[in-house]
Amino acid sequence: MKRICIFAGSNVGTRQEYQEAAVQLSKELVEYEMDVVFGGSSIGLMGVMANTILDNGGKVVGVIPKNLFRGEMVHTQLTQLFQVKTMHERKAKMGELSDAFIALPGGFGTLEEIFEVVSWGQLGIHQKPIGLYNVAGYYDPLLQLVERGIEDEFIPEEHRDLLICESDPARLIEKIKSSQPPGETDKWKEIPSS
Ligand code: AMP
């Protein structure tokens, strides 16, 4: 596993723990000699993560849509920067360049990125592991919603493991490295299994 795609807030959030966690995860990724692909911004947790990796000798590749974000938000010191036309192109490129995904705390942009890779994972479009870095219990409500979805049979139980959730960065990376994609599942209850 060589490249990890990181989704993270374009704000730093209110708790100091969020930035500390972004620094810790970034240092672990450098230790594991994993390059990072991300949204190319210099601000928020994205910026904290990119700067920490670069400062520690790691490689960071950014993928950013042209003219969508103000110029000063684009990180200009990255190892490589891809400029794409649309947000859809950006997500496709980020996925194509990466072997796995990790989400730090973030807002709608981060949530949307997580749910796209999870829903595409359950359809078998990709088989790349997806990690949730659960800093300060930020993702607990999301995990509760997943449990409700399983209980009410909107989400197959086997797909719970599509989200690898950890609050310790080294354990998260280890779990991602050793994870196996879920086998065939009857996603649709109304269609008899073949
Ligand atoms: P959010 O969680 O709403 O702050 O959005 C963060 C996610 O959306 C990141 O993973 C990026 O891919 C994308 N994004 C949002 N704002 C920016 C920005 N200013 N520069 C680059 N990407 C951004």
Side-chain angles (χ1 to χ4, degrees):
M1 193 166 286
K2 188 68 196 111
R3 271 184 172 165
I4 309 279
C5 178
I6 305 281
F7 305 133
S10 55
N11 285 290
V12 290
T14 50
R15 301 184 192 213
Q16 191 57 33
E17 286 151 283
Y18 297 137
Q19 292 188 60
E20 285 164 8
V23 168
Q24 275 175 26
L25 174 67
S26 304
K27 288 184 175 167
E28 288 294 343
L29 289 167
V30 175
E31 280 285 308
Y32 278 86
E33 297 185 2
M34 286 176 175
D35 299 346
V36 162
V37 176
F38 84 124
S41 179
S42 61
I43 58 171
L45 291 185
M46 302 168 81
V48 172
M49 184 265 310
N51 290 335
T52 308
I53 292 177
L54 293 169
D55 289 348
N56 285 276
K59 293 195 182 113
V60 189
V61 177
V63 185
I64 199 152
K66 256 186 205 157
N67 305 327
L68 190 61
F69 298 105
R70 290 215 315 272
E72 69 266 28
M73 289 180 186
V74 180
H75 202 302
T76 53
Q77 310 296 318
L78 300 174
T79 314
Q80 196 174 3
L81 181 71
F82 289 96
Q83 293 207 314
V84 291
K85 287 204 189 85
T86 64
M87 289 293 274
H88 286 123
E89 255 184 61
R90 168 209 240 173
K91 278 189 295 172
K93 186 81 183 165
M94 285 164 76
E96 182 193 306
L97 291 171
S98 310
D99 307 308
F101 306 92
I102 293 180
L104 277 103
F108 283 133
T110 304
L111 296 173
E112 185 259 353
E113 289 169 326
I114 297 168
F115 282 119
E116 180 174 291
V117 292
V118 174
S119 59
W120 289 25
Q122 74 171 353
L123 293 174
I125 295 173
H126 71 79
Q127 305 218 309
K128 301 175 184 178
I130 304 159
L132 272 190
Y133 187 11
N134 195 12
V135 183
Y138 184 74
Y139 282 119
D140 288 350
L142 185 151
L143 297 170
Q144 273 168 21
L145 182 62
V146 171
E147 289 309 312
R148 172 70 186 265
I150 292 169
E151 210 177 292
D152 290 2
E153 299 193 349
F154 287 113
I155 301 173
E157 185 153 17
E158 300 85 333
H159 288 169
R160 177 191 281 121
D161 297 338
L162 280 169
L163 282 171
I164 301 166
C165 190
E166 261 300 335
S167 55
D168 177 80
R171 268 208 309 268
L172 180 62
I173 295 171
E174 282 300 335
K175 277 194 178 176
I176 285 175
K177 281 177 61 161
S178 61
S179 82
Q180 298 293 326
E184 290 275 305
T185 305
D186 295 332
K187 161 125 178 70
W188 296 282
K189 304 273 175 209
E190 291 173 75
I191 303 176
S193 44
S194 48

